[in-house]
Amino acid sequence: MQPTEQKLRQIVQTRIRAIGEEEFVERASEVVVFGSVAMGLQRTDSDVDILCFSDEHYKRKSHFIDLIVVPQRCSQDPGWLQSELATHVATYGRWIKGESAWKDNARIGRSIVDCKRRRVTAFMKALPRVWDRLHEGFREMYATKVRRETQRLILLENGVPVPPTLVLDRHWNSLTS
């Protein structure tokens, strides 16, 4: 079940305060929670994905928060509007501050599909060379990474915004069980 807007605000406030980055949320014209927490699909160890539009670029990633701050001027930039992140946030994000003037213009761009295809291809070319030297845990990790990236590529090629990772995993498990 999706959390209420009030619950999302509480989660963001707690996590932002824990890393001492309150000023980004305070100064932001838009604050969006996206990913598994926004959809109510989080696990106990899930991080909270937060996008803020403000006056600068900034990123902070830890085990419990992924804070992305993007300059407001970028919200109308075709590079942003056609990105995997923008289309994901526009589709699955939950605004807890401000309103989006850009989300209706977010579309999957050809360049992001090509970039994802190159990423999957690079993984597929590199892994056979090192596979025998990888520990079993790393084999499993990279196999999962390639599978998820391939799922994302297929969705992007079909013009579908990429859902949170847990949705990809559940779909895969429904096909293989």
Side-chain angles (χ1 to χ4, degrees):
M1 183 165 84
Q2 283 190 347
T4 64
E5 185 176 321
Q6 180 180 354
K7 181 65 176 170
L8 285 175
R9 286 175 198 254
Q10 290 173 333
I11 292 168
V12 168
Q13 184 178 41
T14 301
R15 303 271 179 115
I16 288 286
R17 188 177 296 136
I19 62 168
E21 303 287 12
E22 299 95 336
E23 73 273 7
F24 287 110
V25 172
E26 291 167 5
R27 288 194 323 245
S29 59
E30 295 178 44
V31 178
V32 189
V33 179
F34 63 98
S36 62
V37 171
M39 293 186 68
L41 299 172
Q42 70 274 14
R43 301 179 315 237
T44 56
D45 64 341
S46 292
D47 66 352
V48 175
D49 301 300
I50 304 165
L51 173 69
C52 298
F53 279 96
S54 192
D55 53 355
E56 60 189 291
H57 270 291
Y58 180 78
K59 288 186 181 183
R60 172 108 182 242
K61 181 146 180 74
S62 74
H63 65 282
F64 66 96
I65 194 166
D66 189 0
L67 173 63
I68 302 168
V69 181
V70 177
Q72 184 66 46
R73 68 182 180 281
C74 293
S75 68
Q76 297 302 318
D77 181 78
W80 161 255
L81 292 170
Q82 295 178 16
S83 70
E84 183 176 351
L85 179 59
T87 57
H88 170 84
V89 171
T91 303
Y92 300 103
R94 304 267 310 278
W95 270 252
I96 62 169
K97 182 178 181 182
E99 293 184 22
S100 171
W102 59 267
K103 80 176 189 175
D104 291 338
N105 297 321
R107 301 283 183 273
I108 295 163
R110 186 84 244 144
S111 64
I112 198 63
V113 174
D114 293 342
C115 182
K116 185 65 75 177
R117 187 177 296 112
R118 285 190 302 274
R119 181 174 168 82
V120 170
T121 300
F123 275 128
M124 297 302 290
K125 285 181 178 178
L127 280 176
R129 293 191 300 261
V130 297
W131 192 257
D132 292 338
R133 296 187 308 260
L134 291 176
H135 181 275
E136 184 60 34
F138 283 104
R139 286 180 183 180
E140 187 174 321
M141 181 183 75
Y142 283 111
T144 299
K145 187 176 198 69
V146 169
R147 187 257 304 157
R148 286 175 177 160
E149 288 296 292
T150 302
Q151 285 178 280
R152 290 178 178 112
L153 172 60
I154 292 167
L155 290 168
L156 292 170
E157 285 178 330
N158 287 291
V160 178
V162 176
T165 301
L166 186 57
V167 174
L168 296 175
D169 292 346
R170 286 181 176 173
H171 183 258
W172 180 257
N173 291 335
S174 75
L175 297 172
T176 60
S177 56

